[in-house]
Amino acid sequence: MKFTLSWLREHLETEASLAAILTALNDCGLEVEGVTDASAKLAAFTIAEVLTAAPHPQADKLQVLTVATGSGDVVQVVCGAPNARAGLKGVFGAVGTYVPGSDLTLKVASIRGVESRGMMCSMRELELSDEHDGIIDLPADAPVGAGYAAWAGLDDPVIEVAVTPNRQDCMGVRGIARDLAAKGLGRLKSLPEAYRVKSFDVPRAGPGPDVRTDDPVGCPAFFACSVSGVANGAAHEWLRRKLSAVGQRPISALVDITNFIMLDLGRPLHVYDRAKLAGALTARKAIDGEHVVALNGKIYALDATMTVIADDTHVHDIGGIMGGAESGCSAETTDVLIECAFFDPAGIARTGQKLMLTSDARTRFERGVDPGFLDEGLEIASYLVLELCGGTASAVTRAGTPPLAERQIAFDPARTRALAGVDIPTGEQAAILTRLGFAVSTRDRGMVAVPSWRRDIDGPADLVEEIVRIHGLSHVPSTPLPRAEGVARPTATPAQRTERRLRRALAGRGLNEAITWSFIAPAAAEPFGGAAWTLANPISTELAAMRPSLIPGLLAAARRNLDRGEAGVRLFEVGRRYTSTGERATAAILLAGTARARDWRTGSTNEFNAFDAKTEALAALAAAGAPVERLTVLPPDDPWFHPGRSGRLALGKAIVATFGELHPRLAGDLRLAVVVAEIYLDALPPARARRARPAYVPPALQPLTRDFAFVVAADTAAETLLRAVRGADKVAVTSVALFDRFDLGDGRVSLAVTVTFQPGAKSFTDVEIEALSATIVAAAAKAGAALRA
Amino acid sequence: MTDPTDLLAAIAAAPDLATLDAVRVAALGKAGSVTALMKTLGAMAPDVRLIEGPRLNALRETVTAAIHQRKSDLDAAALDARLASERIDLTLPVSPGPAGTIHPVSQVMDELAEIFADLGFAVADGPEIEDDWHNFTALNIPETHPARAMHDTFYMAQGGGVADEGAGPPRGTVLRHLLRTHTSPVQIRTMLKQPPPIRIIAPGRTYRSDSDATHTPMFHQVEGLVIDRGIHMGHLKWTLETFVKAFFEVDDVTLRLRPSYFPFTEPSVEVDVGCSWAGGTLSIGGAESWLEILGSGMVHPRVIAACGLDPDEWQGFAFGCGIDRLAMLKYGMTDLRAFFDGDARWLRHYGFKATDVPTLSGGVGA
């Protein structure tokens, strides 16, 4: 919401400075978004008159002007504007003046051999609008030599405030003035005082127009009058300037009047050209399939949920949102009908959302305009039409009644202290409410009547807010929260602790944590089984499907990194994947490209492979508290993996992770290794709360190791042999490490392991060691492994 | 060669271990000259032996010691020579290994959890694919409320459903799935799940259909909620001041509370933090300029009632704050979009070491 300081002063009698007003606006909850004072940057520009205009001898499109600036000699200016002509009054910038819209300082210039001393300016050059088709063309009575900004009223600061959706009453300057008056900045003038009239008494003759409402829910009240014999030209200068100053384009007197009342009083109106109407105007529900061409030139398809204003033949207005183009006012308009209606806020919101149509009227109606201001609004509109356009007004027709039920709130002033923590005397509380327009009953103690324009107020908490915001939030005393005794207790859940550990473990291992979009392209989700959830209104198709896996996002990030010249990418992300049965906590790891950079010690580089993914997956699982020693590796089951170079990690029956090389279909074009792992945190068993460790005394005797080389069929999983060896003697065998794997080339491989035996109370005898070795060989044999000869 | 002088000279002159050993054998070996002399002792008359015995023994010991000494000298020289040949250039570079990092958003979430844990706030959680009852209706935002349009909501294409019996939406409520537009529905879920008193923060991903230099369709928020008896705006003010001081590690923090509007709080307050742009860089503190950092207010009685609590007995406050923005203000990033690109260079630059764990004793500013 924009307004100028002088506009505000029409409603608010105040001695306050601009700075004080701005502070008060913020303190009231009307956040100041900006203040512009165009006069400062335009101070050097003056009004000048073109005396002569002659063609430039060297250029077709240029003219050589002589310009009277009102001070001293006539100045010669070379000008390219098509509208430059003798007699034109415009805005002149002398040599040395900074032109904000062009970001240059004027110098004496020679343009194609003709000297030019200054510039006649366009609106764009002064940053007043985007208009740049010609130079500014001022009325003939503009005083030559006067400062342009002051003459044009630009020395009036424009204030822009953000109005929160609950404060429809502040979507008009008067409501803002009321808040400031309540805040103590001055006195709210009466309406006639603000309009500088004794009263609005509009002379009325003849019957009111034929209007009615057939939709008492969508349009409970439809008030109207007609005015005949109007002249709809450009509005008066004061009105055009006022609208221009706040960024509204002046259109014609009738349209400008409705825009002005909307901005001044927060009251949207609509004016119809009666010549375009056939019969009575009716507020009714649209019929499915009806269409209307709105004032923005677009066609809207209507349905039976929408309230419209129609004549006997068709729709002329999307009620409370936008008028129709056909019956809008033009220069030829002579007879008009002024509509001042009340539309149901919920209905307006639904219709506006459905049509995806926003307008200043909708913004106000859907927030709920003052239902107590229909008669006055129509009266003021009639008054201005008569003043500015002439004509004769009819009587007022009032169809329906606006929802004006009196609202009373039982209010205990102690509530203010209880909710806001601040002590404000009861009398002060009542005074604040009274200044805001509430009626605080003196007879019926504790009852507060809500003014009709404050639809947002419906309970004691709202009244506390009103009192506190006017009294000043800075007076609320900072009060410590009661603190529990002792040291603060841990507050993270086990799942949160798991995620934190996992993050820091992976970062400690050299991976970079990324955060990628939760939504991905549906095509990117497809190889991962497709998305269970898609957006109905995505911002783009690239961000339309809720990710079924974290890998596509990391893969896209890896691609970007590789494109930027990164040789090796190590990324991980902890987030959710979205399945049909819920959101699942997940961690994903992606390694791509070079595992180790070329180095003088190691020579060549090497690329990541599936075992790197396994390493990180196991590290992540260990950090997450999973019993890694109980994990088993199962063959892959997911189509996004290389079928021969990937696997699943299982804990009992639960698959807790997948890892391996991505399927070439997904990453083959990169021509380098892309390996990934995904940890399903939701599948991990809950960490057991176990504080004390099992008793343990490090063994006194030294362990001994024996090496065994076994021969197995090449398709035997190494894990089968290792598990067999590990299980051969669960007491004596404390570790089994595979240290060599050699392909014998005949369909068999040799697997060599070092087995560690830990003696207990006594050292092993040679016989015992022989026996243990025999047990291991026997166990391996059961797994299909023969001791290598 | 039994002249001790010659023998000792030969030992001292032995150029290497082999020569020295030859000298040793020649002197002390089975057929060595000193050994031969020792053998003559047995045949000597006792009185002669009394004199010759000690002399010969002394000779043998002198020779033995000289050989040991020479051997040790030769060993030392050999070691010196070897070490001289083993010199390496230690200015050659070594690889530090890959530098892993924690994302600034995660780091800030950890910082928030740490600060609020000290004030007794637990970390709560809720779904990102929400329904419109939890995201809007229960928060006093009815379907036609302009605030719903304000939120630029992403709706899911998949059908919602109808609420069953149980805590939450009244049975039969038609639910529409959407991506939560704020973390506020966690307030509702928490109040439905646990009895007061409640103190929680809820950090997480949130979504709005918005994309420009300062808005991304996905971003992070943290919600705070306190429900208890006798909680008022003074407590809210103190909590936010305490949080901002702790988070920015600045004691001179000024907060400006401005009345505002959120359907789920009444009164509603927007909070600006005093800052300075001296020298073109932002520093938190003072009151030269103001930065909007969060929205807050006293939980609306209707929201408390929607969660099955008696608003006459329980009241409290809630606040919501953008985590990405907090990170930017504290750590100086300027482009929000870079947060979600996964650019390894950006992550290495703005990320945090694994060991930078925020703690109250060690500080929450890495």
Side-chain angles (χ1 to χ4, degrees), chain A residues 453-471:
Chain A
W453 60 83
R454 290 305 299 271
R455 177 171 177 260
D456 57 308
I457 306 289
D458 69 353
D462 297 285
L463 296 180
V464 171
E465 176 171 61
E466 292 306 297
I467 292 162
V468 172
R469 80 181 171 88
I470 297 299
H471 180 71

Side-chain angles (χ1 to χ4, degrees), chain A residues 458 465 482 518 536 560 578 600, chain B residues 93 128 155 207 266 302 341:
Chain A
D458 69 353
E465 176 171 61
S518 301
R560 289 191 293 271
Y578 305 87
W600 62 271
Chain B
E128 292 166 21
Y155 287 94
Y207 305 86
E266 189 77 45
R302 248 186 253 150
D341 183 83

Side-chain angles (χ1 to χ4, degrees), chain A residues 345-413:
Chain A
I348 293 286
R350 271 193 300 269
T351 302
Q353 280 169 18
K354 220 183 240 182
L355 296 176
M356 289 197 286
L357 177 56
T358 55
S359 70
D360 289 333
R362 172 188 162 188
T363 306
R364 287 167 176 80
F365 276 121
E366 75 182 353
R367 285 160 170 75
V369 302
D370 182 359
F373 197 71
L374 269 66
D375 273 315
E376 265 176 301
L378 192 54
E379 197 67 6
I380 293 171
S382 308
Y383 162 77
L384 283 177
V385 169
L386 262 54
E387 279 291 301
L388 303 183
C389 307
T392 317
S394 77
V396 173
T397 308
R398 295 179 182 82
T401 46
L404 260 175
E406 198 190 358
R407 287 171 298 146
Q408 297 263 0
I409 295 172
F411 183 64
D412 174 3

Side-chain angles (χ1 to χ4, degrees), chain B:
Chain B
M1 190 169 57
T2 54
D3 183 334
T5 317
D6 290 350
L7 202 53
L8 291 177
I11 289 167
D16 51 40
L17 289 172
T19 314
L20 181 66
D21 203 49
V23 174
R24 180 187 64 79
V25 171
L28 302 174
K30 279 185 178 164
S33 54
V34 175
T35 311
L37 282 176
M38 297 298 289
K39 283 179 182 163
T40 65
L41 280 174
M44 285 179 188
D47 55 334
V48 179
R49 192 172 13 177
L50 207 63
I51 296 161
E52 282 299 303
R55 191 184 66 82
L56 287 179
N57 269 328
L59 172 68
R60 192 179 60 181
E61 273 162 32
T62 305
V63 171
T64 306
I67 289 171
H68 269 125
Q69 180 59 49
R70 182 61 187 157
K71 184 167 185 298
S72 147
D73 288 352
L74 285 173
D75 282 346
L79 183 61
D80 283 349
R82 199 185 92 213
L83 292 183
S85 74
E86 285 176 354
R87 200 164 296 259
I88 55 171
D89 176 7
L90 285 162
T91 67
L92 281 166
V94 292
S95 165
T101 48
I102 296 288
H103 197 285
V105 167
S106 301
Q107 183 74 13
V108 169
M109 284 188 182
D110 285 354
E111 292 174 10
L112 295 172
E114 192 66 14
I115 293 167
F116 280 103
D118 186 54
L119 304 178
F121 287 66
V123 180
D125 203 2
E128 292 166 21
I129 300 177
E130 258 297 358
D131 60 59
D132 54 354
W133 189 85
H134 286 91
N135 194 75
F136 290 128
T137 313
L139 287 161
N140 196 30
I141 314 174
E143 192 155 341
T144 53
H145 201 289
R148 286 209 189 192
M150 234 167 50
H151 278 216
D152 303 317
T153 312
F154 284 121
Y155 287 94
M156 307 309 301
Q158 286 67 25
V162 178
D164 288 335
E165 204 70 60
R171 185 188 159 87
T173 307
V174 177
L175 300 175
R176 202 169 166 200
H177 285 300
L178 47 78
L179 286 179
R180 66 177 180 192
T181 57
H182 46 190
T183 41
S184 306
V186 183
Q187 286 184 32
I188 303 300
R189 292 189 175 271
T190 305
M191 281 191 270
L192 286 170
K193 205 162 54 190
Q194 75 181 73
I198 291 170
R199 286 187 196 188
I200 55 141
I201 58 166
R205 292 186 181 203
T206 45
Y207 305 86
R208 287 183 204 177
S209 182
D210 210 348
S211 187
D212 58 41
T214 53
H215 295 89
T216 47
M218 178 184 93
F219 55 103
H220 296 83
Q221 265 194 355
V222 61
E223 192 80 6
L225 175 71
V226 173
I227 297 289
D228 207 333
R229 293 186 179 91
I231 296 293
H232 56 68
M233 281 178 84
H235 295 117
L236 168 64
K237 198 172 185 178
W238 178 86
T239 303
L240 296 178
E241 279 168 1
T242 304
F243 153 59
V244 171
K245 276 181 199 171
F247 180 74
F248 289 108
E249 301 187 300
V250 180
D251 271 336
D252 162 38
V253 161
T254 333
L255 291 189
R256 182 174 76 172
L257 273 55
R258 277 184 293 107
S260 188
Y261 170 70
F262 307 105
F264 36 97
T265 49
E266 189 77 45
S268 300
V269 176
E270 245 171 21
V271 180
D272 302 333
V273 62
C275 65
S276 142
W277 291 94
T281 52
L282 171 72
S283 55
I284 301 294
E288 186 185 304
S289 179
W290 299 99
L291 260 181
E292 188 178 317
I293 56 161
L294 55 83
S296 64
M298 300 304 295
V299 180
H300 199 292
R302 248 186 253 150
V303 173
I304 293 177
C307 297
L309 300 175
D310 177 1
D312 289 331
E313 182 179 5
W314 301 104
Q315 67 184 37
F317 63 79
F319 61 88
C321 182
I323 292 178
D324 317 277
R325 187 167 160 75
L326 282 180
M328 290 167 90
L329 292 177
K330 185 167 179 179
Y331 295 111
M333 302 83 164
T334 48
D335 184 5
L336 176 59
R337 283 171 295 195
F339 276 60
F340 310 122
D341 183 83
D343 186 336
R345 299 165 303 177
W346 190 93
L347 296 172
R348 284 193 291 263
H349 182 81
Y350 286 113
F352 294 83
K353 291 194 196 99
T355 47
D356 291 337
V357 183
T359 59
L360 284 183
S361 61
V364 293

Side-chain angles (χ1 to χ4, degrees), chain A residues 428-447:
Chain A
E428 171 64 10
Q429 296 193 34
I432 288 171
L433 290 175
T434 306
R435 289 202 296 274
L436 286 169
F438 293 82
V440 181
S441 173
T442 44
R443 274 181 313 165
D444 194 359
R445 257 183 78 85
M447 292 312 285

Side-chain angles (χ1 to χ4, degrees), chain A residues 31 140 146 149 388 461 572 598 669 732:
Chain A
E31 187 187 359
L388 303 183
F572 76 97
R598 203 158 56 157
D669 59 303

